[in-house]
Amino acid sequence: MAASEPAKSDEYILNRDWRAMARLNQRHHLFKMVQGFLLHPSVSLKAGAKVAEIGGGTCIWAVDLLNELPFSIDIDAIDISLAQCPPKAWLPNNIQLITHDVYQPFPDHMIGIYDLVHVQNWLCVWRNQTSERLIRNLTALLKPSGYLQWSEQDPTINTIVHAPGSPLSTEATEELLRFLKKPQESISFEWVSQLGPILAQNLSLVAFDRQEIRKELQAFWNITVLQGFEELASNLQRRDKTDENASKAAKLREVAERGSAELLNGNGIYTELVVAVVQKSPNSMI
Ligand SMILES: C[S@@+](CC[C@H](N)C(=O)[O-])C[C@H]1O[C@@H](n2cnc3c(N)ncnc32)[C@H](O)[C@@H]1O
């Protein structure tokens, strides 16, 4: 699939075109500005470490990490679709691109070889009924003592905030928030606030932290929220051209348009990012 085409062949509810890539890259920078790291301070990597990024998207985290580290590591950017990655020839030699559906078991040569597995921005991919399989497959990638680092935004705590003196209505922002908490019947986000304990069922919990999207970042964050609405609408319409999808897409666009007038003029969305870091036992045989 060319990078300009929307997702169609898998269950991904967002797109993989250049607009989607712009949103992901912007979110990457915002995650870094909020969290202040690409690697949580509790994670220590040595030269030559092997890292797997799961659902690498545009590869921006992998490229950024290589730029920051004073030593060389190898990164496998694993994704069900490589449509958003730069051409392989433009990537550093120590980033490998691997197409794999992480809900399927990994091949033997990838098992137990990674010092770090990194996951970020999986709100639209996680499903409660398949999460055990997902975590089992990710855990299998880790070496003994290897880390799993996972960062997400927590939509369940989204609330409206106002710039001082803002005279605006909050009607459309409230609609946006209602949608963000439950975009589809099959999707729920309660797992995000439980991510640390969920991962700690099989691995040792090293850190489970929260950071708020500070007010000076509100306007930047909210633009990515509006971009997400546009993307969901266009994915719906292009996936199945039914009248029902056309009307849902039109509704999403209409709420986002009204919401933008509020969000860009003094309304904000209070929310937080969570990061969970867990570690495999040094004695683990699996
Ligand atoms: C919202 S994007 C996040 C990309 C990147 N982690 C970031 O933060 O910019 C989710 C990524 O997961 C990938 N993905 C979705 N389902 C997947 C699956 N079953 N196996 C592997 N990757 C998957 C998508 O193709 C997409 O690149």
Side-chain angles (χ1 to χ4, degrees):
M1 183 170 75
S4 58
E5 292 172 13
K8 220 175 168 188
S9 54
D10 59 54
E11 296 299 306
Y12 193 45
I13 60 170
L14 295 170
N15 289 344
R16 295 192 176 91
D17 62 9
W18 58 268
R19 298 169 190 84
M21 291 156 76
R23 180 184 54 80
L24 285 180
N25 292 342
Q26 172 74 355
R27 280 245 163 158
H28 165 82
H29 293 302
L30 288 166
F31 265 70
K32 192 171 156 188
M33 287 171 88
V34 172
Q35 296 183 314
F37 59 76
L38 294 173
L39 289 181
H40 188 274
S42 64
V43 175
S44 64
L45 292 182
K46 296 197 175 86
K50 199 147 175 65
V51 172
E53 187 186 10
I54 307 299
T58 66
C59 289
I60 191 165
W61 181 86
V63 170
D64 204 0
L65 182 62
L66 286 185
N67 277 337
E68 275 201 356
L69 290 181
F71 50 80
S72 177
I73 59 166
D74 277 313
I75 305 182
D76 287 346
I78 299 164
D79 203 295
I80 196 169
S81 160
L82 300 182
Q84 296 179 302
C85 302
K88 172 72 187 116
W90 290 356
L91 286 170
N93 287 337
N94 43 353
I95 297 182
Q96 285 79 40
L97 303 177
I98 298 176
T99 309
H100 185 81
D101 175 355
V102 298
Y103 289 99
Q104 303 304 320
F106 282 96
D108 287 349
H109 69 269
M110 293 174 79
I111 300 297
I113 66 165
Y114 293 96
D115 298 282
L116 170 69
V117 170
H118 167 75
V119 189
Q120 184 159 304
N121 260 325
W122 265 58
L123 290 183
C124 61
V125 186
W126 174 289
R127 299 289 181 276
N128 288 338
Q129 61 277 22
T130 47
S131 60
E132 264 183 46
R133 197 184 335 153
L134 172 65
I135 294 168
R136 190 168 53 243
N137 290 345
L138 299 184
T139 304
L141 293 172
L142 294 172
K143 273 181 186 168
S145 300
Y147 298 96
L148 170 60
Q149 167 181 295
W150 192 320
S151 291
E152 293 294 347
Q153 182 244 332
D154 184 355
T156 63
I157 60 152
N158 287 353
T159 39
I160 297 178
V161 289
H162 303 274
S166 160
L168 281 171
S169 147
T170 56
E171 202 184 315
T173 313
E174 279 163 25
E175 262 184 84
L176 288 173
L177 292 197
R178 270 196 299 279
F179 180 84
L180 288 172
K181 281 189 180 159
K182 187 101 186 133
Q184 274 186 15
E185 211 27 58
S186 60
I187 296 183
S188 62
F189 298 129
E190 278 66 30
W191 61 274
V192 176
S193 62
Q194 295 306 310
L195 187 57
I198 291 171
L199 297 177
Q201 285 168 11
N202 299 308
L203 299 157
S204 307
L205 190 64
V206 176
F208 188 37
D209 302 337
R210 283 182 167 268
Q211 278 134 323
E212 68 176 280
I213 311 269
R214 301 182 300 275
K215 61 179 183 309
E216 68 269 24
L217 300 178
Q218 276 292 331
F220 309 123
W221 182 267
N222 293 335
I223 288 169
T224 71
V225 171
L226 296 169
Q227 287 171 309
F229 269 75
E230 173 57 38
E231 215 173 305
L232 287 165
S234 104
N235 182 285
L236 265 179
Q237 269 184 304
R238 296 166 89 163
R239 182 177 285 273
D240 288 311
K241 295 186 191 313
T242 58
D243 288 347
E244 192 190 349
N245 276 356
S247 125
K248 279 188 193 160
K251 175 74 185 155
L252 284 175
R253 289 201 171 99
E254 186 267 326
V255 178
E257 204 49 40
R258 279 190 292 121
S260 71
E262 296 177 5
L263 285 175
L264 302 179
N265 289 291
N267 280 357
I269 301 173
Y270 177 88
T271 194
E272 293 176 357
L273 303 186
V274 304
V275 57
V277 180
V278 286
Q279 191 173 22
K280 203 174 206 176
S281 153
N283 307 316
S284 172
M285 304 294 283
I286 46 154

